[in-house]
Amino acid sequence: ELKVEQNPLFLSMQEGKNYTIYCNYSTTSDRLYWYRQDPGKSLESLFVLLSNGAVKQEGRLMASLDTKARLSTLHITAAVHDLSATYFCAVDIENSGYALNFGKGTSLLVTP
Amino acid sequence: ETGVTQSPTHLIKTRGQQVTLRCSSQSGHNTVSWYQQALGQGPQFIFQYYREEENGRGNFPPRFSGLQFPNYSSELNVNALELDDSALYLCASSSMGLAGQNEQFFGPGTRLTVL
């Protein structure tokens, strides 16, 4: 059974601090996706990581992929309140076209 | 470029009823995937349509069915609604066939409440 596990599931951090969200998965997929979801809203694509060693950065967020370890990280630098949201990682479901299997999400709250 | 749209936004049904949700894919996309997101959970894959054919299915019973039309829009039908079907239903579109271009773009979702 394909598993995608995120930790932590809940994260409260102060503005200005750094932190990392971890995503472990059980397939041999070499592609991984990060999405953001604000309360009551849909999913916004943040990063698409397409190969081992891929690193992408956008503003205060940086994502990386290690396919050998089956691990992706989402690093937050100098957090600001606007980053408060739920972050999901996802991998391709084998034999289902390009459908995605999501983790349970990490609910991030950035406080003053 | 038009994004993914879904209708209706909200829907309230009673147990045992049937419901149809609609999705229009993003311009240029030929693949539509449907997901169910229960409160506090990650989205769960229901099924995917590519060129009007079901291209994959998650662990959902047959009372969840779908269609894709020639213009790549799609419908999700749920029969014999159960209380546990209450969730946010998300549609995502993408372009099958472009290597590495599997970024899925999500619509705003339909919030279904079953009473």
Side-chain angles (χ1 to χ4, degrees):
Chain A
E1 180 188 347
L2 171 58
K3 292 183 179 179
V4 180
E5 296 181 341
Q6 291 182 234
N7 73 82
L9 296 182
F10 299 95
L11 176 57
S12 179
M13 57 190 298
Q14 286 185 314
E15 284 185 329
K17 299 292 187 181
N18 304 332
Y19 207 83
T20 300
I21 298 170
Y22 297 88
C23 175
N24 289 91
Y25 57 96
S26 62
T27 71
T28 56
S29 176
D30 58 0
R31 299 193 296 199
L32 189 131
Y33 312 84
W34 284 96
Y35 286 86
R36 167 180 171 148
Q37 187 175 39
D38 292 296
K41 303 294 185 181
S42 188
L43 297 169
E44 173 191 357
S45 178
L46 293 175
F47 301 109
V48 180
L49 304 171
L50 297 176
S51 61
N52 185 42
V55 177
K56 289 194 174 180
Q57 182 163 5
E58 180 71 35
R60 301 174 187 273
L61 300 178
M62 183 174 71
S64 66
L65 179 62
D66 180 345
T67 59
K68 294 180 181 178
R70 301 182 187 180
L71 170 68
S72 180
T73 61
L74 180 65
H75 186 74
I76 303 159
T77 302
V80 294
H81 179 69
D82 285 351
L83 290 179
S84 297
T86 299
Y87 294 86
F88 293 96
C89 63
V91 296
D92 293 324
I93 300 173
E94 294 176 356
N95 302 318
S96 290
Y98 295 105
L100 299 176
N101 189 317
F102 285 83
K104 290 186 176 181
T106 296
S107 181
L108 171 65
L109 176 64
V110 181
T111 59
Chain B
E1 182 178 273
T2 305
V4 181
T5 60
Q6 291 185 243
S7 63
T9 305
H10 297 88
L11 203 52
I12 299 174
K13 292 285 190 179
T14 56
R15 196 169 45 181
Q17 286 189 311
Q18 179 265 344
V19 69
T20 297
L21 311 182
R22 295 179 175 82
C23 170
S24 292
S25 61
Q26 184 167 312
S27 177
H29 287 179
N30 56 19
T31 303
V32 173
S33 303
W34 285 93
Y35 297 84
Q36 179 195 68
Q37 186 179 23
L39 199 60
Q41 300 295 317
Q44 298 292 313
F45 172 60
I46 303 174
F47 45 58
Q48 181 182 86
Y49 279 84
Y50 170 60
R51 292 186 175 177
E52 302 178 57
E53 296 283 335
E54 187 178 287
N55 191 49
R57 188 178 184 92
N59 189 27
F60 280 81
R63 59 189 185 85
F64 285 78
S65 63
L67 286 172
Q68 186 180 33
F69 300 99
N71 65 355
Y72 303 128
S73 66
S74 177
E75 286 183 356
L76 163 65
N77 299 290
V78 187
N79 293 322
L81 284 168
E82 300 177 359
L83 298 179
D84 285 349
D85 295 334
S86 295
L88 180 67
Y89 288 84
L90 295 164
C91 163
S93 75
S94 56
S95 293
M96 181 77 75
L98 297 177
Q101 297 295 326
N102 185 35
E103 189 170 8
Q104 296 202 5
F105 295 87
F106 284 80
T110 294
R111 173 74 62 185
L112 173 64
T113 302
V114 182
L115 303 177

